[in-house]
Amino acid sequence: MMASPAPHDPPSAAPAPGTIHPGWLRVMHWLNALAVIIMVMSGWRIYNASPLFDFAFPKGATLGGWLGGALQWHFAGMWLLFLNGLLYLALNLGTGRLSRKFFPVSPRGVATDLNAALHGKLSHNDLRHYNQVQKLAYLFVIVDIVVLVLSGLVLWKSVQFDLLRELMGGYESARRVHFFAMALLVAFVAVHLVMVALVPRSLIAMIRGK
């Protein structure tokens, strides 16, 4: 699903011939998946200790066993997500992959590709290229993870990040921002898994690179 490098790209930006996803991207993808699983499952356990709404997540779907253990898992996942995400953005910007893969994107293009997808007419023959719906989805999840990290900082160190806390409307508002950003991330993962099931070659490409 990676666009072929433009002629002016530096050699370091170009994957090996026949490669869909370079090795560094595949490693970061799976590390990111691990970090998200750890953070979501431990986060559900933390949520259960002080629910925002009138429901709780099933204990079997949580990680940590108790609040202290869940917090330790959550912090471990947080650092993995933060450092891996920071390196991911740096490499995507440094190699020019971000602009090649995710732009241009437009409302008309998204609407056209979404309509084609809903009618089963959207082609997935060339996994090197993202369609407009994929571009929008991946850009969205990048922004969503940034919101998760920023709201998480408020929940973790509310006094130290007092300006960020106030920008989010206070501590309780930041809790809600964090919860809904988590819910949107889980929804993205669910849709992503459905698409992988529909196009299993995409999973093979993310494991083998081609």
Side-chain angles (χ1 to χ4, degrees):
M1 296 190 292
M2 178 179 294
S4 299
H8 61 273
D9 290 330
S12 59
T19 299
I20 296 174
H21 302 303
W24 64 265
L25 178 68
R26 302 198 306 274
V27 170
M28 288 186 176
H29 173 273
W30 294 113
L31 284 176
N32 197 54
L34 175 62
V36 167
I37 291 171
I38 290 172
M39 293 208 69
V40 168
M41 294 182 67
S42 60
W44 287 350
R45 179 64 188 86
I46 296 168
Y47 167 90
N48 285 351
S50 180
L52 279 169
F53 306 104
D54 190 24
F55 72 89
F57 293 99
K59 186 176 180 180
T62 65
L63 180 65
W66 58 298
L67 179 57
L71 285 168
Q72 291 177 342
W73 276 107
H74 207 65
F75 291 146
M78 173 192 73
W79 285 114
L80 178 59
L81 184 70
F82 174 74
L83 294 174
N84 189 60
L86 201 61
L87 187 56
Y88 171 85
L89 284 176
L91 285 172
N92 271 278
L93 287 169
T95 61
R97 181 181 181 273
L98 188 70
S99 60
R100 291 197 314 272
K101 288 291 292 180
F102 302 117
F103 296 97
V105 60
S106 67
R108 177 176 294 181
V110 171
T112 299
D113 283 353
L114 180 60
N115 182 63
L118 292 174
H119 289 85
K121 296 180 179 179
L122 191 62
S123 174
H124 297 282
N125 291 330
D126 188 355
L127 297 180
R128 288 177 175 81
H129 296 278
Y130 287 154
N131 60 60
Q132 296 266 325
V133 176
Q134 286 176 301
K135 290 179 181 180
L136 181 63
Y138 292 135
L139 288 171
F140 161 78
V141 81
I142 290 172
V143 174
D144 188 56
I145 289 176
V146 171
V147 172
L148 270 170
V149 170
L150 293 178
S151 57
L153 288 175
V154 173
L155 303 184
W156 179 37
K157 298 287 187 179
S158 181
V159 175
Q160 288 85 340
F161 293 98
D162 56 331
L163 177 59
L164 187 57
R165 182 190 67 225
E166 295 308 313
L167 289 174
M168 290 192 175
Y171 183 85
E172 287 301 317
S173 178
R175 285 188 70 198
R176 284 169 169 75
V177 169
H178 199 68
F179 178 89
F180 287 114
M182 175 277 298
L184 288 171
L185 179 59
V186 171
F188 168 84
V189 171
V191 173
H192 188 61
L193 291 175
V194 170
M195 296 309 299
V196 168
L198 293 174
V199 189
R201 290 186 301 116
S202 61
L203 176 61
I204 296 172
M206 190 53 73
I207 295 173
R208 297 177 53 194
K210 55 186 179 180

